[in-house]
């Protein structure tokens, strides 16, 4: 893979899968625009990207909250101002909240959908004219929860199913213009998301232990493993792949209880 001179915008680049994706793209010479709210973390990730390959530019950092419409406009416009073009958009920022139909509420639905779906809808809408110019590509970070149903994370499941539908629809709409659109659907991946979603250390340790049974490959995934799939889908190596939702989940999507 070669991303020399390709401009790649990654949301949620301050942590977990987004951070690993930024570092992975930087090994292939990409010019990176990284966004998130935690500027200190973004700077640490940017430093790692800078050091990943000789001659790499330091990534361009754009602080912002993707649930804020003005911030999303600013993320896209400053990326274009800095680099003059966009080749790859990675819609990765996301949040997880727990709630069943009995314990959820519309505020939870709005919080989860605003970050996981609405922001992607808005940023993609703004980015598409530039992606058409470069015949670029989009990779959305969905989840195994988008293609399978798990109890207790209702709004999250629904948000990821909506994201997969967005992937397919936009792929159909832009295929004729040379823009490819795909999703990755990770299984349990070791990042901050579960603790941020409410698990304490003990619950998280149990959850990771259980992941050995819930994933065919007998373990949870690492962020780098998802990053490699994202870079592949964004690259010319995937030149005939569009509208796909690619599980990166140690086989979890194929499992059924028995
Ligand atoms: P992390 O919590 O480690 O990272 C989430 C990222 O999203 C952070 O960079 C965070 O930035 C950003 N983010 C969250 N809310 C906002 C917001 N309102 N505005 C801007 N940025 C925001 O989680 P992961 O790396 O695990 O999550 C990345 C994606 O992967 C998500 O879409 C998630 O649903 C998906 N995923 C994760 C799985 C897992 O097991 N880890 C499994 C399947 C899918 P900041 O902190 O700077 O605001």
């Amino acid at each position: 893979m070669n991303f020399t001179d390709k401009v790649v915008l990654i949301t949620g680049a301050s942590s977990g899968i987004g951070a690993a994706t930024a570092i992975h793209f930087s090994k292939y010479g990409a010019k990176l625009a990284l966004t998130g709210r935690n500027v200190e973390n973004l700077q640490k990730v940017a430093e790692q990207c800078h050091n990943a390959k000789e001659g790499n530019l330091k990534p361009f950092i754009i602080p912002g909250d993707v649930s804020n419409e003005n911030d999303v406009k600013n993320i896209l416009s400053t990326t274009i101002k800095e680099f003059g073009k966009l080749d790859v958009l990675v819609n990765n920022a996301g949040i997880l909240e727990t709630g069943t139909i009995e314990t959820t509420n519309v505020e939870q639905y709005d919080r989860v959908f605003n970050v996981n779906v609405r922001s992607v809808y808005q940023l993609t809408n703004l980015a598409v004219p530039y992606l058409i110019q470069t015949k670029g590509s989009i990779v959305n970070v969905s989840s195994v929860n988008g293609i399978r149903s798990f109890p207790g994370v209702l709004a999250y499941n629904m948000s990821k199913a909506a994201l997969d539908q967005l992937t397919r629809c936009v792929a159909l709409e832009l295929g004729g213009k040379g823009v490819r659109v795909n999703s990755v659907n990770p299984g349990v991946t070791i990042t901050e998301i579960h603790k941020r979603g409410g698990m304490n250390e003990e619950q998280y340790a149990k959850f990771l232990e259980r992941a050995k049974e819930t994933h065919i490959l007998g373990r949870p995934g690492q962020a780098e493993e998802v990053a490699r799939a994202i870079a592949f889908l964004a690259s010319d190596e995937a030149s005939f792949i569009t509208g796909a939702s690619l599980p990166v989940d140690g086989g979890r999507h194929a499992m059924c209880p028995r």
Side-chain angles (χ1 to χ4, degrees):
M1 283 186 294
N2 187 354
F3 286 99
T4 307
D5 288 329
K6 300 283 184 194
V7 176
V8 180
L9 169 60
I10 304 171
T11 68
S14 52
S15 177
I17 292 170
T21 303
I23 294 161
H24 194 66
F25 269 108
S26 66
K27 291 179 191 156
Y28 298 95
K31 292 180 174 167
L32 295 170
L34 306 181
T35 182
R37 291 167 301 184
N38 186 324
V39 176
E40 201 181 315
N41 279 0
L42 283 173
Q43 278 164 349
K44 282 186 201 154
V45 174
E47 199 56 45
Q48 285 176 272
C49 293
H50 187 47
N51 296 332
K53 186 171 182 267
E54 216 174 284
N56 266 358
L57 286 177
K58 200 151 185 201
F60 183 56
I61 289 176
I62 315 155
D65 181 337
V66 291
S67 64
N68 177 311
E69 274 185 41
N70 287 329
D71 283 8
V72 173
K73 284 182 197 158
N74 185 55
I75 288 166
L76 202 270
S77 65
T78 53
T79 301
I80 298 300
K81 208 167 155 197
E82 175 72 13
F83 296 109
K85 66 164 186 164
L86 181 66
D87 296 281
V88 176
L89 170 63
V90 181
N91 286 309
N92 163 76
I95 55 168
L96 173 68
E97 293 198 19
T98 51
T100 71
I101 192 59
E102 294 175 293
T103 61
T104 190
N105 51 47
V106 284
E107 288 77 22
Q108 176 170 71
Y109 176 95
D110 283 344
R111 275 195 305 274
V112 172
F113 268 71
N114 280 344
V115 176
N116 293 6
V117 186
R118 193 176 190 274
S119 75
V120 178
Y121 197 90
Q122 189 197 356
L123 186 58
T124 304
N125 169 253
L126 295 172
V128 156
Y130 301 98
L131 291 169
I132 290 173
Q133 280 174 16
T134 56
K135 297 197 188 307
S137 98
I138 300 171
V139 182
N140 295 322
V141 181
S142 179
S143 170
V144 65
N145 298 51
I147 48 180
R148 292 292 177 266
S149 308
F150 300 91
V153 277
L154 178 59
Y156 184 78
N157 289 335
M158 291 172 67
S159 74
K160 294 302 187 181
L163 189 56
D164 285 341
Q165 184 65 275
L166 182 132
T167 296
R168 289 188 293 271
C169 292
V170 179
L172 293 181
E173 290 167 1
L174 298 183
K177 296 183 176 175
V179 177
R180 297 180 302 102
V181 189
N182 294 291
S183 294
V184 289
N185 296 67
V188 173
T189 310
I190 300 171
T191 68
E192 294 304 310
I193 199 166
H194 301 100
K195 285 181 270 175
R196 292 174 99 179
M199 280 188 197
N200 63 31
E201 290 292 346
E202 195 186 327
Q203 289 165 328
Y204 189 56
K206 275 191 189 150
F207 178 70
L208 291 185
E209 195 54 34
R210 170 126 173 83
K212 293 179 181 170
E213 290 162 30
T214 54
H215 296 67
I216 296 171
L217 292 182
R219 61 175 177 85
Q222 298 291 339
E224 291 74 16
E225 295 179 294
V226 183
R228 290 203 293 267
I230 293 170
F232 164 69
L233 287 173
S235 77
D236 291 342
E237 299 296 306
S239 54
F240 205 49
I241 303 178
T242 196
S245 291
L246 177 66
V248 188
D249 66 351
R252 188 173 195 183
H253 70 283
M255 295 176 78
C256 279
R258 53 177 303 187

